[in-house]
């Protein structure tokens, strides 16, 4: 039975499939395609994590974020800098603040 996936997967997945005695069809994405595929995969993994939080799913999200940083040619040190800036300017999530509303006085 053939199952369609049409999504980006980790590099070794075709090899793992072949080693299990099955066959698969795949292609190598171009630069323009890979950006959308990675964003779609991030949404997919986030949805899975929302349903079933686990360290394994979180590790996949971290791996995807690394791939996004590389593919979009972001500078990891600059992202770290922005993270520190946001932490200093806006705080963290450690105090579990949940904003209900804001009244602008009008």
């Amino acid at each position: 039975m053939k199952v369609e996936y049409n999504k980006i997967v980790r590099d070794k997945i075709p090899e793992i499939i072949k080693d299990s005695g099955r066959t698969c069809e795949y292609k190598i994405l171009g630069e323009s395609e890979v950006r959308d595929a990675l964003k779609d995969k991030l949404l997919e993994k986030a949805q899975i994590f929302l349903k079933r939080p686990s360290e394994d799913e979180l590790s996949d999200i971290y791996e995807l974020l690394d791939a996004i940083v590389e593919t979009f040619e972001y500078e990891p040190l600059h992202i770290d800098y922005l993270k520190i800036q946001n932490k200093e300017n806006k705080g963290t999530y450690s105090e579990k603040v949940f904003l209900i509303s804001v009244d602008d006085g009008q």
Side-chain angles (χ1 to χ4, degrees), residues 3-35:
V3 178
E4 298 283 332
Y5 288 96
N6 295 310
K7 62 183 180 180
I8 195 165
V9 295
R10 290 175 177 262
D11 302 340
K12 293 183 180 180
I13 295 301
E15 179 183 332
I16 292 168
I17 292 168
K18 289 174 186 175
D19 288 349
S20 73
R22 298 174 291 165
T23 61
C24 65
E25 181 182 359
Y26 67 94
K27 67 178 182 176
I28 305 302
L29 297 176
E31 288 303 313
S32 62
E33 297 170 303
V34 74
R35 289 175 177 228

Side-chain angles (χ1 to χ4, degrees), residues 57-91:
E57 287 303 327
L58 193 55
S59 74
D60 280 348
I61 292 169
Y62 271 84
E63 186 68 31
L64 273 166
L65 291 174
D66 286 343
I68 289 169
V69 167
E70 181 179 330
T71 300
F72 282 73
E73 297 180 356
Y74 294 142
E75 177 56 49
L77 289 176
H78 188 247
I79 291 173
D80 288 341
Y81 169 77
L82 293 172
K83 186 178 171 186
I84 291 167
Q85 288 297 109
N86 282 327
K87 191 180 285 190
E88 288 176 1
N89 295 332
K90 300 174 191 173

